[in-house]
Amino acid sequence: MNVYHALKMIQIEHQPLNHRQVVITDENGKPLSQLTDLLSDCLSKIDLFVDLPSTDTASDVSDVIDDLHLLTPLPNDVLDEYQKVFDQPI
């Protein structure tokens, strides 16, 4: 499972996960601030253009990134970093 699928699957009280409360940690539970900040930035930008919880459950992160390529002025290198964050195994 990767970050993207976890974000789509996890719900709290039948509501989608609030990504502002997500913290990425290492294997020992120590917070990784750079990855957490990058994920937060990525999700806040995605929220402007894509409703992540309502995307097709069979969709892949590359589908979301492709949509962002079409809908946003974000440069390719930024979107490549977003894809790397979403593809991180958990």
Side-chain angles (χ1 to χ4, degrees):
M1 177 178 288
N2 60 25
V3 170
Y4 172 74
H5 288 105
L7 289 170
K8 287 186 48 110
M9 188 173 66
I10 295 172
Q11 293 186 353
I12 299 174
E13 296 180 4
H14 305 289
Q15 298 296 315
L17 182 65
N18 180 349
H19 63 79
R20 290 175 194 90
Q21 297 175 342
V22 174
V23 175
I24 297 179
T25 64
D26 64 13
E27 291 127 7
N28 297 319
K30 183 179 177 186
L32 297 172
S33 62
Q34 287 181 324
L35 283 178
T36 299
D37 291 344
L38 182 58
L39 178 64
S40 178
D41 178 60
C42 172
L43 291 172
S44 64
K45 297 246 182 3
I46 286 175
D47 280 348
L48 296 173
F49 300 98
V50 179
D51 182 22
L52 194 61
S54 71
T55 57
D56 180 18
T57 56
S59 70
D60 197 313
V61 66
S62 60
D63 297 335
V64 173
I65 299 299
D66 289 344
D67 287 346
L68 291 174
H69 274 289
L70 296 173
L71 300 171
T72 70
L74 293 170
N76 289 339
D77 58 337
V78 170
L79 294 173
D80 290 343
E81 290 302 312
Y82 287 0
Q83 179 144 9
K84 287 179 189 176
V85 169
F86 276 138
D87 283 334
Q88 287 296 310
I90 56 170

